[in-house]
Amino acid sequence: MTTPAVRLRVPVRSRLRRLPLHLAAAVTVVVCLFPVYWMISTAFKPSADIQSADPSLFPPTWTLDHFRRAVEADGFALFWRNSILVTLGAVLLALLVALGAAFAVARLRWKGRRQFMLMVFIAQMAPWESLIIPIYIISRDTDMLDRLPTLTLIYFMITLPFTVVVLRGFIATIPPELEEAAQVDGCTRTGAFRRVALPLLAPGLMATSLFGFITAWNEFAYANFLIIKQQDNRTLPVWLSSFQNTFGTDWGATMAASTLFALPALVIFLLLQRHVTSGFAAGAVKG
């Protein structure tokens, strides 16, 4: 018979064994979040404290002047609108195309299906920065430079492979018998998918939408390289570089602008966090 002392010793030993894992997790969180904290705290510091030889971890005094300069900067509202249009357009296009492709790969049997998925994986692994020169030449020859639809199509191509892979794995976890039962009740194949499978795909759609939003929202290289003459068509990541001048960098305004820039993605992630976690987990069950 187990004594109370032995029963108490077991949880203590278990907690001690897990202590290194908890410490590693805490260190990881601190390392990942500290740059974000430093950005936000710097945005609220006066310029004198930012340039001080003895930087403080916490702002001794608080100011909103940097945020005011960022909001009143030339092009803030225009570039914000451009980023929203380009990002939402790319995400919606990726979801629409990837949903059909993922359904065809997960549910149908056709020649070349494995080769198609292999090409999708290769496209996902390819570094998109290496394609800047070819894409620039194609955009120049087709008169598509300095246009927001060009950025939308590029971000759509960047996010599409990942979206297809995740949605394909997620669709594979839904039993096909559910759709077959709906077809027996009189639904068409499309109607069965729309009424039965599509509501179950909500977490996967949210997960891929968040990934596509963050990817398109943060992208800098293509927006800076393909929008040359029409400065009004640039996006927020390029706008952040406007706080550099011949006298140096306005770090307070830059950090305030960066905080405002990161706010939409952070809010969306916090709102969809639970669905995103379940979506990635479910999408990884079957490959």
Side-chain angles (χ1 to χ4, degrees):
M1 184 175 181
T2 306
T3 62
V6 173
R7 286 199 300 267
L8 289 175
R9 249 186 243 120
V10 174
V12 172
R13 290 179 179 177
S14 178
R15 285 195 294 268
L16 289 177
R17 290 175 182 174
R18 296 177 183 176
L19 184 59
L21 296 177
H22 295 321
L23 291 176
V27 171
T28 303
V29 170
V30 171
V31 170
C32 293
L33 292 183
F34 182 77
V36 179
Y37 166 77
W38 192 256
M39 175 187 71
I40 297 174
S41 64
T42 303
F44 287 99
K45 291 179 181 179
S47 298
D49 294 336
I50 296 175
Q51 300 174 0
S52 174
D54 299 321
S56 57
L57 188 61
F58 301 98
T61 56
W62 298 73
T63 180
L64 296 176
D65 290 341
H66 303 311
F67 287 95
R68 190 177 300 109
R69 285 206 305 276
V71 173
E72 295 175 354
D74 293 337
F76 172 75
L78 179 62
F79 293 161
W80 188 281
R81 186 209 65 178
N82 292 345
S83 290
I84 289 292
L85 292 177
V86 169
T87 301
L88 293 183
V91 170
L92 292 177
L93 278 176
L95 286 178
L96 183 63
V97 175
L99 190 60
F103 178 81
V105 173
R107 285 285 190 266
L108 306 180
R109 297 294 179 265
W110 42 279
K111 187 177 181 180
R113 183 171 61 94
R114 293 182 180 274
Q115 291 76 5
F116 172 78
M117 284 306 302
L118 178 61
M119 295 302 297
V120 171
F121 279 112
I122 293 175
Q124 183 181 352
M125 293 184 293
W128 288 97
E129 291 77 8
S130 63
L131 301 178
I132 289 183
I133 300 300
I135 289 178
Y136 173 81
I137 295 175
I138 294 173
S139 301
R140 181 197 62 190
D141 295 343
T142 56
D143 195 25
M144 290 294 289
L145 288 176
D146 299 306
R147 297 187 181 183
L148 288 179
T150 304
L151 285 180
T152 303
L153 291 176
I154 291 173
Y155 297 160
F156 156 70
M157 291 187 298
I158 292 176
T159 58
L160 182 60
F162 176 84
T163 308
V164 171
V165 171
V166 173
L167 288 182
R168 177 239 186 181
F170 202 90
I171 292 176
T173 63
I174 301 176
E177 291 79 12
L178 297 177
E179 299 172 51
E180 294 172 0
Q183 289 179 274
V184 171
D185 291 339
C187 288
T188 62
R189 186 161 196 168
T190 303
F193 178 78
R194 179 173 57 86
R195 296 183 180 182
V196 176
L198 192 58
L200 299 177
L201 285 175
L205 293 174
M206 292 181 183
T208 52
S209 298
L210 180 62
F211 169 81
F213 182 90
I214 294 176
T215 301
W217 186 260
N218 292 335
E219 204 283 322
F220 172 82
Y222 283 99
N224 188 53
F225 198 72
L226 299 179
I227 307 297
I228 303 173
K229 298 179 181 178
Q230 299 295 330
Q231 303 295 321
D232 291 344
N233 286 338
R234 292 193 169 187
T235 54
L236 279 177
V238 181
W239 167 75
L240 288 176
S241 62
S242 63
F243 296 99
Q244 297 179 356
N245 50 47
T246 56
F247 300 101
T249 302
D250 187 348
W251 291 111
T254 301
M255 294 298 103
S258 300
T259 302
L260 294 174
F261 172 73
L263 197 58
L266 178 61
V267 171
I268 292 176
F269 177 79
L270 292 177
L271 292 176
L272 303 181
Q273 180 182 8
R274 182 176 303 176
H275 300 287
V276 168
T277 303
S278 60
F280 278 127
V285 172
K286 291 187 179 181

